[in-house]
């Protein structure tokens, strides 16, 4: 740990977790919390989590993890990673450089997030989602990965958000849809089919229309 890295004494760090230089980990955070299989193995052997040896998480340099966050084992972030309060990021999630994860966001694991991404407060991201570079996700947006929730067999597959796409506040993206490069999803839209690059999805269910000329530029994040 670098001398300029600050970890509040109320935080808990498990496994082989690392925190990069010039980072700040604030009150009541948990880093490297064991994913379910590891946790069960530890508990079945009557061991304390603090004494167990397992992969933790890796937080990149110049990062800020605000109070109340829980970041699971096998999560890695790039540099200048920032969270709001009470974020949960589950296992097997990879996050690039200069990414903001807003307050109360839940990322349920097995998610890939690129560079220069902004995810606003109260967003829900399920497993098996891909988010490319320069994506913006507005507050309270919901992504889904199960087409027939617990009713019939369906291979879980979350949405794919291509480079520079924008998702408006309170939008809902159904399983397996792809939002193309530079496309926009309007606030409150219900997206049930793919959105082509540089198009606009609006309404519930969403219809596809042309994107205004002055909006045909990548997000500046």
């Amino acid at each position: 740990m670098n001398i300029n890295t600050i970890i509040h004494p109320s935080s808990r760090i498990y496994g082989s977790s690392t925190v990069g230089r010039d980072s700040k980990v604030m009150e009541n955070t948990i880093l490297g919390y064991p994913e379910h299989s590891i946790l069960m193995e530890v508990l079945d052997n009557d061991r304390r989590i603090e004494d167990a040896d397992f992969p933790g998480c890796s937080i990149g340099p110049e990062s800020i993890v605000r109070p109340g966050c829980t970041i699971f084992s096998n999560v890695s972030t790039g540099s200048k990673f920032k969270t709001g309060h009470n974020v949960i990021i589950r296992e097997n999630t990879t996050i690039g450089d200069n990414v903001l994860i807003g307050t109360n966001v839940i990322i349920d694991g097995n998610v890939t997030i690129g560079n220069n991404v902004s995810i606003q407060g109260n967003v829900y991201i399920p497993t098996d989602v891909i988010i490319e570079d320069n994506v913006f996700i507005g507050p309270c947006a919901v992504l889904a990965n199960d087409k027939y929730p617990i009713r019939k067999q369906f291979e879980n597959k979350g949405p794919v958000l291509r480079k520079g796409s924008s998702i408006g506040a309170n939008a809902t993206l159904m399983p397996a849809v792809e939002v193309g490069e530079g496309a926009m999803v309007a606030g409150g839209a219900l997206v049930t089919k793919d959105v082509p690059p540089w198009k606009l999805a609006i309404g519930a269910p969403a219809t596809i229309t042309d994107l205004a000329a002055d909006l045909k530029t990548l997000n500046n994040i």
Side-chain angles (χ1 to χ4, degrees):
M1 185 178 71
N2 184 274
I3 192 171
N4 293 322
T5 294
I6 298 172
I7 299 178
H8 194 275
S10 65
S11 297
R12 295 290 180 265
I13 300 180
Y14 299 123
S16 58
S17 295
T18 59
V19 180
R21 60 176 175 79
D22 302 322
S23 294
K24 296 175 177 60
V25 178
M26 308 306 288
E27 298 92 334
N28 299 310
T29 59
I30 300 174
L31 300 183
Y33 191 82
E35 59 194 88
H36 180 74
S37 60
I38 296 173
L39 179 62
M40 291 301 100
E41 181 180 353
V42 171
L43 296 180
D44 287 346
N45 287 287
D46 294 323
R47 298 171 65 192
R48 299 193 322 147
I49 298 174
E50 293 87 343
D51 300 329
D53 182 18
F54 58 88
C57 66
S58 174
I59 305 299
E62 301 180 65
S63 296
I64 300 175
V65 182
R66 288 187 170 83
C69 293
T70 299
I71 300 177
F72 277 62
S73 56
N74 289 306
V75 172
S76 65
T77 83
S79 63
K80 298 181 179 178
F81 168 70
K82 295 179 176 63
T83 76
H85 295 68
N86 304 318
V87 169
I88 296 178
I89 304 175
R90 295 203 54 166
E91 63 271 13
N92 304 319
T93 294
T94 302
I95 298 172
D97 298 329
N98 191 35
V99 173
L100 168 67
I101 309 294
T103 293
N104 294 328
V105 168
I106 298 174
I107 299 175
D108 251 343
N110 298 297
V111 170
T112 300
I113 299 174
N115 302 313
N116 305 313
V117 171
S118 180
I119 301 174
Q120 302 296 296
N122 296 300
V123 169
Y124 175 72
I125 299 173
T127 59
D128 306 304
V129 168
I130 297 173
I131 300 171
E132 295 187 343
D133 297 346
N134 295 91
V135 168
F136 174 86
I137 305 178
C140 301
V142 173
L143 283 61
N145 68 351
D146 190 348
K147 193 173 182 179
Y148 309 103
I150 70 170
R151 290 295 177 93
K152 60 186 291 187
Q153 190 68 28
F154 176 78
E155 182 181 357
N156 287 356
K157 186 177 181 182
V160 175
L161 308 184
R162 297 298 184 192
K163 179 180 178 181
S165 56
S166 290
I167 311 301
N170 289 300
T172 299
L173 276 58
M174 298 304 288
V177 299
E178 179 172 317
V179 180
E181 179 176 343
M184 297 190 73
V185 173
L190 172 60
V191 180
T192 61
K193 58 185 178 181
D194 292 351
V195 183
W198 302 106
K199 294 290 186 178
L200 171 67
I202 186 168
T207 57
I208 308 300
T209 187
D210 290 334
L211 190 62
D214 61 347
L215 295 177
K216 290 185 177 180
T217 181
L218 288 178
N219 297 325
N220 183 21
I221 297 174

